[in-house]
Amino acid sequence: GDRVIDVGSEWRTFSNDKAAKDPSRVGDAQNPLLNGGDLSTVISRGTGSASFDEFGNSKYQNHRTMSSSDRAMLNAFKEITNMSDRINLPTNIIDRTNNLFKQVYEQKSLKGRSNDAIASACLYIACRQEGVPRTFKEICAVSRISKKEIGRCFKLILKALETSVDLITTGDFMSRFCSNLGLPKQVQMGATYIARKAVELDLVPGRSPISVAAAAIYMASQASAEKKTQKEIGDTAGVADVTIRQSYRLIYPRAADLFPPDFKFDTPVDKLPQL
Amino acid sequence: MGFEGELPLHHSSFLSSEGGELGKELSDELDLSFLPDELSVQDAPPQTGGSAEQQDSGFTGEGVSVEDMSGAEHNQASPFCPMTPMTPMTPMTPASESSGIVPQLQNIVSTVNLVCRLDLKSIALQARNAEYNPKRFAAVIMRIREPRTTALIFSSGKMVCTGAKSEEQSRLAARKYARVVQKLGFPAKFLDFKIQNMVGSCDVKFPIRLEGLVLTHQQFSSYEPELFPGLIYRMVKPRIVLLIFVSGKVVLTGAKERSEIYEAFENIYPILKGFKKV
């Protein structure tokens, strides 16, 4: 008769068996979207005494050479995860970054560039695309690549993938900067309003939104009980304190118009510091 | 405005400024007739050699080339050739009015081949206003005061001339450098003079909403305030890069011809008018 080889699993599993593990499943969870069908075998380092030979070296050495074609890509994914962990980015951003990197890597148009630079730029783009942009300086802080190189790769990747990103606004950074400075919600809302009004009234033409945001935070915090110095705000925002001073000087004359109507003043508008 | 106004048209001052410069080398008149225009390309401005012999060289040379250049521009039908006021100003697009603003050229980069190997060390030692630091850069950096330009002279005999404000000045400056090299004893020629890049700038006189411009012209614009305060607009036809600032100042670069700069500005002006602030 016909011999049929049963390709089912070696052991029986019962549906009402409340075992935590599913023994019919072998291997780690695959990531087919990113790895391109990784079917290679990986031999991990041994743990028991039998896995070491007489000199103390591990007996089975071949823990290298797995999917060599995508080795660089896997390395980059590891680097992306490391960078994101440092600034506590959620999984959706990490996934998006990995996807962007995969697209760029497969296109090969930026092949000559350092993978870390491409990864950093992908991280920057992913944060932008998810609506929670990080400044270039924040990405620089977790990457070994210079801001200049990340900026260059950023522009090249946008060109290569034929995408674009939305322009950054002052409001994008308010919650993060204010939380880092330990400012209460009232001050944060005040600063957001001030920055938005300042841009609407075109008091700060040509100034980077980060600088305007920093100046707005300074004004709001100085008007409240939680006063922060320019240096502290500059350190958090990655802006020089002279830059904050410059933008502050531009918004100071119209300070009365910039505050939200329901703002609780600890220091009145006319007593705000004049730099 | 004619660009002749920018060039020194007074013989005596021209020569005396020249004479002061290079010391012993230029005791005689600056005669550039020895350097025929050897060009491997056919459609080139004609030789300045013939007419130069009769009068002081620089000017007639320029004069001849100017008229020929305007002749060439007739074919392109560029409405903005300020060099020859006689040319009828036919607008290219009668429907829209012209901006009335003409971009000013700020820098011209050109290259020329002197067709002989050069000993950079001897040039650096003998010539005035020459610096040579082989560890830093493998060329002699020479400067002349009139037209105020800088040249990079390589040992292969090739030279890059930068800093001139017009095509004729660039050519004249390149010839002067070639003359200097020749006087130092090298058999220099003047082959394949070519303008590689032209930079122009102008002011539209009104503030611009860059955020609006980047929204509508996404595929051409790049505006990243964190990286650069201006908007970088890469125009496809003509292939020119424009740096547009909030103040209304515009820098145009990447042109090989003056007309490309003018055309690019005429193309961008109506777009910028649409994004005027307030």
Side-chain angles (χ1 to χ4, degrees):
Chain A
D2 283 325
R3 271 274 181 111
V4 176
I5 298 172
D6 180 12
V7 296
S9 63
E10 210 176 280
W11 40 76
R12 297 183 299 174
T13 54
F14 302 98
S15 57
N16 52 355
D17 204 358
K18 292 291 183 226
K21 304 184 284 183
D22 179 8
S24 63
R25 189 179 176 186
V26 287
D28 198 8
Q30 260 190 344
N31 204 343
L33 297 157
L34 298 180
N35 283 10
D38 178 29
L39 298 167
S40 58
T41 303
V42 181
I43 296 166
S44 56
R45 289 170 196 261
T47 45
S49 57
S51 62
F52 293 96
D53 59 17
E54 59 253 21
F55 297 110
N57 303 322
S58 51
K59 230 181 209 171
Y60 196 75
Q61 295 259 326
N62 196 12
H63 51 265
R64 298 172 281 256
T65 58
M66 27 175 198
S67 55
S68 51
S69 60
D70 296 316
R71 166 171 309 282
M73 206 158 80
L74 282 168
N75 239 338
F77 291 159
K78 196 161 74 130
E79 191 56 39
I80 287 170
T81 314
N82 281 342
M83 287 196 291
S84 311
D85 276 345
R86 287 185 206 130
I87 40 174
N88 305 315
L89 290 175
T91 335
N92 60 337
I93 292 183
I94 301 180
D95 286 341
R96 195 181 268 268
T97 311
N98 286 345
N99 269 314
L100 284 168
F101 187 88
K102 179 175 193 218
Q103 285 176 44
V104 170
Y105 190 76
E106 286 177 344
Q107 233 204 31
K108 299 207 186 294
S109 50
L110 278 89
K111 199 167 180 197
R113 300 259 168 198
S114 152
N115 270 340
D116 282 347
I118 308 269
S120 307
C122 285
L123 187 58
Y124 178 82
I125 295 175
C127 293
R128 270 277 265 262
Q129 287 180 338
E130 290 287 324
V132 284
R134 298 296 189 272
T135 63
F136 277 107
K137 290 190 176 168
E138 286 175 301
I139 304 287
C140 272
V142 298
S143 166
R144 65 177 181 87
I145 310 289
S146 67
K147 178 172 180 262
K148 194 157 133 182
E149 187 57 29
I150 299 181
R152 280 203 198 119
C153 289
F154 162 73
K155 286 192 240 180
L156 288 171
I157 293 173
L158 287 186
K159 193 86 185 272
L161 300 181
E162 293 187 353
T163 31
S164 65
V165 285
D166 287 335
L167 200 52
I168 52 174
T169 60
T170 51
D172 293 333
F173 306 96
M174 279 306 173
S175 75
R176 205 170 344 116
F177 290 167
C178 291
S179 314
N180 287 346
L181 289 163
L183 292 169
K185 187 91 167 78
Q186 273 300 315
V187 180
Q188 178 187 322
M189 282 165 56
T192 313
Y193 189 89
I194 292 173
R196 204 186 70 225
K197 255 331 215 200
V199 173
E200 274 173 27
L201 297 173
D202 196 29
L203 301 173
V204 283
R207 299 271 157 193
S208 166
I210 322 282
S211 317
V212 178
I217 294 175
Y218 180 68
M219 186 178 264
S221 75
Q222 288 292 324
S224 75
E226 299 273 335
K227 293 178 173 39
K228 297 286 171 191
T229 62
Q230 289 182 339
K231 191 166 183 319
E232 287 176 313
I233 300 175
D235 278 343
T236 322
V239 179
D241 57 341
V242 285
T243 311
I244 301 180
R245 211 170 300 155
Q246 290 283 41
S247 298
Y248 182 77
R249 283 196 193 120
L250 291 171
I251 61 175
Y252 180 76
R254 301 284 299 268
D257 302 324
L258 296 176
F259 277 94
D262 54 350
F263 191 80
K264 301 277 186 298
F265 285 91
D266 189 78
T267 311
V269 179
D270 42 356
K271 296 276 195 330
L272 280 174
Q274 191 175 17
L275 304 152
Chain B
M1 46 79 65
F3 85 107
E4 293 99 337
E6 298 154 8
L7 296 178
L9 287 176
H10 312 290
H11 303 208
S12 51
S13 63
F14 175 73
L15 280 179
S16 58
S17 65
E18 251 295 280
E21 253 179 70
L22 295 161
K24 56 174 169 67
E25 303 139 83
L26 290 174
S27 49
D28 51 356
E29 247 183 37
L30 190 67
D31 179 16
L32 298 173
S33 57
F34 69 95
L35 288 170
D37 243 15
E38 292 179 42
L39 294 149
S40 44
V41 207
Q42 275 318 304
D43 52 327
Q47 315 301 320
T48 57
S51 45
E53 272 151 8
Q54 291 128 27
Q55 302 170 35
D56 289 287
S57 48
F59 316 100
T60 46
E62 286 144 29
V64 167
S65 310
V66 162
E67 274 140 34
D68 290 307
M69 235 195 267
S70 68
E73 282 196 296
H74 259 291
N75 310 334
Q76 299 168 21
S78 157
F80 290 97
C81 9
M83 298 179 269
T84 51
M86 294 92 75
T87 322
M89 305 284 237
T90 48
M92 281 168 77
T93 51
S96 65
E97 71 246 32
S98 61
S99 60
I101 306 171
V102 181
Q104 298 298 308
L105 289 182
Q106 302 291 351
N107 184 25
I108 313 263
V109 177
S110 56
T111 53
V112 73
N113 190 358
L114 302 176
V115 204
C116 65
R117 284 219 77 91
L118 302 173
D119 179 8
L120 297 185
K121 196 144 158 233
S122 78
I123 293 178
L125 287 169
Q126 295 178 320
R128 277 214 205 160
N129 302 327
E131 55 182 86
Y132 179 46
N133 216 332
K135 285 195 210 140
R136 211 162 55 122
F137 192 55
V140 166
I141 300 160
M142 199 184 288
R143 296 183 166 87
I144 56 173
R145 257 169 250 136
E146 186 54 56
R148 202 158 70 87
T149 49
T150 304
L152 306 173
I153 305 170
F154 293 84
S155 54
S156 60
K158 297 221 171 109
M159 181 169 80
V160 180
C161 174
T162 62
K165 298 280 193 210
S166 84
E167 304 91 318
E168 265 315 301
Q169 281 189 9
S170 193
R171 184 183 207 90
L172 177 65
R175 287 178 156 260
K176 288 195 187 181
Y177 287 114
R179 179 64 167 146
V180 169
V181 168
Q182 205 196 46
K183 286 231 166 175
L184 291 174
F186 299 94
K189 313 248 195 332
F190 199 73
L191 182 65
D192 289 336
F193 175 79
K194 182 175 181 219
I195 289 177
Q196 302 290 355
N197 186 27
M198 299 172 72
V199 181
S201 70
C202 57
D203 187 2
V204 300
K205 304 279 198 288
F206 55 79
I208 303 169
R209 271 185 304 115
L210 298 181
E211 312 81 39
L213 183 55
V214 76
L215 272 172
T216 47
H217 290 77
Q218 252 170 8
Q219 62 269 62
F220 308 114
S221 322
S222 160
Y223 177 45
E224 286 300 322
E226 280 187 89
L227 295 178
F228 188 64
L231 189 152
I232 302 168
Y233 193 101
R234 294 183 187 268
M235 197 176 278
V236 173
K237 174 158 174 39
R239 207 165 74 89
I240 301 281
V241 175
L242 297 91
L243 304 176
I244 303 167
F245 296 89
V246 187
S247 56
K249 299 256 182 0
V250 179
V251 174
L252 306 96
T253 182
K256 291 269 196 290
E257 306 262 314
R258 189 184 277 254
S259 56
E260 287 176 9
I261 300 243
Y262 296 150
E263 192 188 333
F265 183 68
E266 288 310 305
N267 286 348
I268 201 82
Y269 189 72
I271 298 170
L272 295 180
K273 271 212 292 202
F275 291 101
K276 196 167 172 168
K277 264 195 193 165
V278 168

